[in-house]
Amino acid sequence: MEYEIKQHDKFRYIEEGEGQTLVLLHGLFGALSNFGDLINYFKNHVKVVVPMLPLLEMDILNTSVSGLAKYVNKFIETRGYEDVHLLGNSLGGHVGLVYLLRNEPKVVKSLILTGSSGLFENGMGDSYPKRGDREYIRKKTEYTFYDPAMATEELVDEVFDITNNRLKVIKIIALAKSAIRNNLGEELSRITIPALLIWGKNDNVTPPFVAEEFKKLLPNSELHFIDQCGHAPMMEVPAEFNKILLNFLQRLGAVATNVS
């Protein structure tokens, strides 16, 4: 599914549908394809917005979780969004958390995390990223999912292309180190808006105990595990993911209750 990429000032983004705003933040190797099923389903019920996070375009000094959180803050302010429901996967969840903690935005009504970093994550391995070794990249991409068949040739090619560029590799390492350093711990108790945690029971990157810890630290949170699912539930089990998210948004009045 192809979407029109819009431009407003320096920001590039996708915006589909009408209603309250569901902002999607992708992870370190994230792409629009990660959210395809989610966008297709929810654009009929809310305004779905996906900013193109400049993970590999920022200058090296701002290539950090905090730098990306500032970018998200400026994007939401510039676009004038209200009634925002903020969803982040992996590094995107971490960026969303830092954005909420540093800015305390009144427009954000709820938080949805799936496989989020911010407390603990297994890196892609000490020697990662390993340039020029496509088979190594395949194994690391498969590690993200419960079903290794999810690591399609197209997906492996995307990751391989990124890791074969020296400057991009430097920025990926900078972001990964920033995420590890930026442990949010007890700060999370300050986030009191409703929070939904959707986690793969077989997540190798941010294992289930990480979800349990988020549940304990976020005072107004609920946790849903999905069995036979890895680090990207919205890709691997989209129907179940969408059902859990729909129920949450209906209870908050963001989506009509007669929608199924």
Side-chain angles (χ1 to χ4, degrees), residues 99-170:
Y99 158 64
L100 289 172
L101 288 166
R102 301 295 174 265
N103 301 284
E104 299 184 7
K106 300 287 187 284
V107 295
V108 179
K109 303 303 179 191
S110 75
L111 171 69
I112 303 100
L113 299 178
T114 181
S116 178
S117 58
L119 290 176
F120 169 88
E121 64 276 352
N122 281 318
M124 297 287 259
D126 290 338
S127 59
Y128 188 81
K130 197 169 186 176
R131 291 170 63 199
D133 187 341
R134 194 172 186 283
E135 198 49 40
Y136 179 86
I137 297 301
R138 177 191 299 284
K139 292 286 181 216
K140 290 302 179 183
T141 307
E142 289 176 350
Y143 181 76
T144 306
F145 303 103
Y146 172 76
D147 178 6
M150 290 292 296
T152 61
E153 292 302 315
E154 185 181 12
L155 198 56
V156 172
D157 282 344
E158 281 178 21
V159 178
F160 184 68
D161 286 347
I162 292 170
T163 58
N164 243 10
N165 178 303
R166 183 173 172 276
L167 186 58
K168 287 180 178 178
V169 167
I170 289 168

Side-chain angles (χ1 to χ4, degrees), residues 3-258:
Y3 298 106
E4 179 196 352
I5 295 181
K6 301 178 179 178
Q7 183 100 24
H8 184 160
D9 290 348
K10 65 179 178 180
F11 303 105
R12 296 169 69 244
Y13 61 98
I14 283 168
E15 185 176 298
E16 298 281 334
E18 296 293 332
Q20 294 196 21
T21 306
L22 178 62
V23 174
L24 312 179
L25 303 179
H26 58 76
L28 189 53
F29 291 97
L32 280 180
S33 57
N34 297 22
F35 291 129
D37 288 288
L38 198 157
I39 297 168
N40 285 342
Y41 181 78
F42 280 98
K43 69 180 182 179
N44 300 313
H45 309 302
V46 293
K47 182 188 293 177
V48 184
V49 175
V50 191
M52 309 285 108
L53 297 180
L55 301 181
L56 306 174
E57 287 87 50
M58 295 190 297
D59 66 76
I60 195 68
L61 288 176
N62 289 306
T63 301
S64 65
V65 175
S66 295
L68 289 168
K70 286 177 188 170
Y71 182 92
V72 169
N73 182 48
K74 195 72 180 163
F75 170 70
I76 290 175
E77 277 187 356
T78 300
R79 292 292 302 140
Y81 293 127
E82 297 181 348
D83 296 324
V84 171
H85 303 274
L86 191 65
L87 185 155
N89 171 239
S90 196
L91 180 73
H94 198 162
V95 170
L97 288 166
V98 172
Y99 158 64
L100 289 172
L101 288 166
R102 301 295 174 265
N103 301 284
E104 299 184 7
K106 300 287 187 284
V107 295
V108 179
K109 303 303 179 191
S110 75
L111 171 69
I112 303 100
L113 299 178
T114 181
S116 178
S117 58
L119 290 176
F120 169 88
E121 64 276 352
N122 281 318
M124 297 287 259
D126 290 338
S127 59
Y128 188 81
K130 197 169 186 176
R131 291 170 63 199
D133 187 341
R134 194 172 186 283
E135 198 49 40
Y136 179 86
I137 297 301
R138 177 191 299 284
K139 292 286 181 216
K140 290 302 179 183
T141 307
E142 289 176 350
Y143 181 76
T144 306
F145 303 103
Y146 172 76
D147 178 6
M150 290 292 296
T152 61
E153 292 302 315
E154 185 181 12
L155 198 56
V156 172
D157 282 344
E158 281 178 21
V159 178
F160 184 68
D161 286 347
I162 292 170
T163 58
N164 243 10
N165 178 303
R166 183 173 172 276
L167 186 58
K168 287 180 178 178
V169 167
I170 289 168
K171 290 187 174 182
I172 287 164
I173 292 169
L175 281 168
K177 286 184 174 175
S178 164
I180 291 165
R181 282 196 307 269
N182 200 325
N183 187 296
L184 300 174
E186 299 300 325
E187 279 192 84
L188 294 178
S189 64
R190 289 171 32 215
I191 299 176
T192 57
I193 56 175
L196 172 66
L197 310 170
I198 308 177
W199 233 263
K201 262 196 178 166
N202 310 91
D203 187 338
N204 294 313
V205 182
T206 47
F209 77 83
V210 179
E212 300 279 9
E213 192 67 11
F214 271 118
K215 170 75 176 71
K216 188 164 47 171
L217 294 171
L218 289 164
N220 192 10
S221 61
E222 59 185 77
L223 171 59
H224 297 260
F225 280 117
I226 300 178
D227 203 13
Q228 297 187 336
C229 175
H231 187 56
M234 72 286 172
M235 289 178 73
E236 203 161 5
V237 283
E240 192 166 350
F241 184 94
N242 290 347
K243 184 178 175 185
I244 294 167
L245 178 55
L246 176 68
N247 179 267
F248 178 71
L249 293 176
Q250 284 176 325
R251 283 183 279 129
L252 294 176
V255 178
T257 52
N258 60 355

